[in-house]
Amino acid sequence: MIKLPHFLRRKRSSAKTRESHSVRDYRALVRAKLKSLPDDPALALAQAIGAPTMADFMSIGDGHVAVLRHHGLVDGMTVYDLGCGCGRTAQALVRTGWRGQYTGADVVQELIDELARQCPGYDVLLNVTPRIVAPDASLDMVFHWSVFTHLYPGESYLYTSDAFRALRPGGKMIFSFLEMEEPEHDRVWNANLDHLRRGNAAEHLDAFLHRDWIHRFARNAGFAEPRFTNGQDSKDHPPFWQSLAVLEKPA
Ligand SMILES: C[S@@+](CC[C@H](N)C(=O)[O-])C[C@H]1O[C@@H](n2cnc3c(N)ncnc32)[C@H](O)[C@@H]1O
């Protein structure tokens, strides 16, 4: 075999990089929604991230903020919203008057453009790598809602491990996930089975995680043992239809 010079080898291997499944699927979904609702882009983008109406978009966002407040969000913190979409949480943070340093990251340009439009003063970034784009030990919270629900376990692990790097000691990663043992999540499972039975491709991957896997992600990344709820207990915040996990970086 002919050995290629070094610079040619690098070029050939970078040409092989392919867009990941979730980037491709979410970009297609956002563009299809914008095309189907040309007169109401805000609603189109809200629907692309799973909110049927703007009223749902706002009440779900308020619920996100209530979860964050319950887990210690206060003014002055530095937070990172992974898979921020068009700013369901960011817009709710603005509505509640929270003051702090917010960065939202997503893989779809149209979504982060909308967030930037709605929330001047918040930072947004487009990132398609499984990394948290922040310096070491710089964040108080990394949160993400319905994001690991669309990724392969390896992608979720890489984000978890990089969140550990980017969090300050005592910082938290808070996120939602789908699990098999939770009857509320059956509708996602059943919808997926319907797609498979009909031989249809779903719009995007819907991924379930097991609490044992999250324990392992946390342990391997360096976090303390995770805490979980099924999200539906309305004692501390409005019911959240996915399960919730809280991972803390030891102080
Ligand atoms: C169901 S939406 C949830 C949006 C937002 N977290 C919320 O709850 O309002 C899933 C989001 O994850 C984003 N996403 C898809 N693949 C991703 C990836 N590999 N890394 C980060 N975000 C991703 C999508 O573009 C979309 O904005």
Side-chain angles (χ1 to χ4, degrees), residues 209-221:
L209 279 175
H210 193 287
R211 293 184 187 202
D212 283 353
W213 299 5
I214 298 172
H215 271 286
R216 181 165 178 189
F217 291 178
R219 203 179 314 124
N220 287 7

Side-chain angles (χ1 to χ4, degrees), residues 22 26 49 64 83 85 88 106-108 111 145-146 150-151 159:
S22 64
Y26 262 94
I49 61 149
H64 294 166
R88 185 156 53 180
D106 205 283
V107 297
V108 184
L111 291 173
W145 323 114
S146 303
H150 303 296
L151 302 184
Y159 270 134

Side-chain angles (χ1 to χ4, degrees), residues 167-181:
L167 281 166
R168 296 197 170 111
K172 289 178 183 166
M173 180 163 95
I174 302 164
F175 66 95
S176 70
F177 66 105
L178 292 168
E179 52 186 337
M180 287 287 180
E181 300 293 351

Side-chain angles (χ1 to χ4, degrees), residues 113-223:
D113 287 347
E114 175 69 2
L115 194 164
R117 206 170 63 79
Q118 296 288 346
C119 306
Y122 281 8
D123 292 334
V124 291
L125 54 93
L126 186 74
N127 173 45
V128 297
T129 64
R131 293 196 202 108
I132 304 297
V133 187
D136 294 359
S138 62
L139 302 172
D140 295 295
M141 277 187 182
V142 174
F143 56 84
H144 48 95
W145 323 114
S146 303
V147 177
F148 282 7
T149 52
H150 303 296
L151 302 184
Y152 292 125
E155 297 169 308
S156 297
Y157 173 68
L158 290 177
Y159 270 134
T160 304
S161 144
D162 207 38
F164 181 87
R165 174 197 60 75
L167 281 166
R168 296 197 170 111
K172 289 178 183 166
M173 180 163 95
I174 302 164
F175 66 95
S176 70
F177 66 105
L178 292 168
E179 52 186 337
M180 287 287 180
E181 300 293 351
E182 192 48 61
E184 269 288 301
H185 305 169
D186 273 354
R187 65 185 158 95
V188 180
W189 176 248
N190 289 330
N192 275 281
L193 291 184
D194 280 350
H195 277 301
L196 291 170
R197 285 193 189 103
R198 284 188 268 116
N200 277 348
E203 276 173 339
H204 48 58
L205 174 71
D206 287 317
F208 287 64
L209 279 175
H210 193 287
R211 293 184 187 202
D212 283 353
W213 299 5
I214 298 172
H215 271 286
R216 181 165 178 189
F217 291 178
R219 203 179 314 124
N220 287 7
F223 285 105

